[in-house]
């Protein structure tokens, strides 16, 4: 099992646990977050950034590399932004970092990554659609939130769960990059049986 894929997968699980804590815990810090959420968010963001940055470097399409690196960077900034809630000197910087990267940069990065993966052999077929689906969920979530809250006003937890699931599934999908997507002697892609 690849360490970089494991980091992304574990980061997704940690983020989802953080969202669960955020939605079910009444114990909060001074800024209103449950105390465990910034810790889990910081860990998740850094783990995903580190793992996905490394994975993006081995992608075969330049557009996928750019998208992967921008998802990695914005994931790290998102985690650090929420992690700054642990320090009293934050003064709104954490909020600015988390929401700017989480609402604007991350969906754009997912869109670019998804476009780059469509014609590549880096991920299995089901995993190629995760970035585009996540980008669409982010646009729909905050599009409705901003433009049509009378029709549907989604909670932040909806987008946060989409982020965590995408990280988890991208980690699982990227397990195939270093070992299974090498060409065999007949010119067929090994691992196509997945």
């Amino acid at each position: 099992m690849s360490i970089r894929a494991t980091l992304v997968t574990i980061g997704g699980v940690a983020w989802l646990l953080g969202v669960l804590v955020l939605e079910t815990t009444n114990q909060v810090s001074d800024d209103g977050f449950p105390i465990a959420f910034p810790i889990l968010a910081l860990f998740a963001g850094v783990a995903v950034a580190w793992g996905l940055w490394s994975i993006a470097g081995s992608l075969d399409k330049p557009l996928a590399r750019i998208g992967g690196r921008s998802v990695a960077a914005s994931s790290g900034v998102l985690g650090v932004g929420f992690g700054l809630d642990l320090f009293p000197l934050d003064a709104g910087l954490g909020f600015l970092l988390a929401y700017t990267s989480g609402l604007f940069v991350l969906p754009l990065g997912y869109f670019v990554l998804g476009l780059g993966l469509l014609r590549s052999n880096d991920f299995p077929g089901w995993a190629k659609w995760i970035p585009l689906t996540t980008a669409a969920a982010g646009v729909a979530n905050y599009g409705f939130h901003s433009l049509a809250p009378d029709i549907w006003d989604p909670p932040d937890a909806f987008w946060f769960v989409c982020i965590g699931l995408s990280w988890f599934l991208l980690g699982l999908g990227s397990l195939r990059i270093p070992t299974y997507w090498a060409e065999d002697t007949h010119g067929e892609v090994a691992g196509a049986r997945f």
Side-chain angles (χ1 to χ4, degrees):
M1 183 178 282
S2 168
I3 290 177
R4 56 194 184 174
T6 304
L7 281 171
V8 177
T9 305
I10 290 173
V13 171
W15 181 266
L16 289 170
L17 286 173
V19 172
L20 182 66
V21 166
L22 184 64
E23 293 298 310
T24 61
T25 304
N26 292 328
Q27 180 185 10
V28 296
S29 65
D30 293 337
D31 292 335
F33 289 123
I35 295 169
F37 176 71
I39 296 168
L40 288 166
L42 178 61
F43 171 77
V46 170
V48 169
W50 188 1
L52 196 54
W53 188 273
S54 177
I55 290 168
S58 65
L59 298 176
D60 66 348
K61 301 290 183 192
L63 194 59
R65 283 194 298 274
I66 292 167
R69 292 248 164 105
S70 87
V71 169
S74 58
S75 298
V77 171
L78 178 66
V80 168
F82 282 120
L84 285 176
D85 188 56
L86 296 168
F87 304 100
L89 53 104
D90 177 18
L93 178 62
F95 178 83
L96 178 68
L97 290 174
Y99 280 95
T100 301
S101 64
L103 297 181
F104 304 110
V105 182
L106 192 59
L108 181 61
Y110 271 122
F111 180 72
V112 173
L113 174 61
L115 289 179
L117 289 179
L118 285 179
R119 294 186 175 254
S120 75
N121 289 327
D122 291 321
F123 281 77
W126 61 268
K128 291 179 182 185
W129 292 98
I130 293 167
L132 291 174
T133 305
T134 306
V139 169
N141 185 52
Y142 283 99
F144 274 103
H145 181 71
S146 300
L147 302 174
D150 294 339
I151 297 171
W152 181 45
D153 192 10
D156 287 340
F158 174 80
W159 175 232
F160 288 172
V161 168
C162 290
I163 291 171
L165 285 175
S166 70
W167 289 346
F168 176 76
L169 293 172
L170 280 175
L172 290 181
S174 66
L175 285 172
R176 298 186 62 163
I177 289 175
T179 56
Y180 295 109
W181 287 102
E183 291 190 19
D184 68 6
T185 57
H186 302 293
E188 298 173 358
V189 176
R193 61 192 174 280
F194 185 64

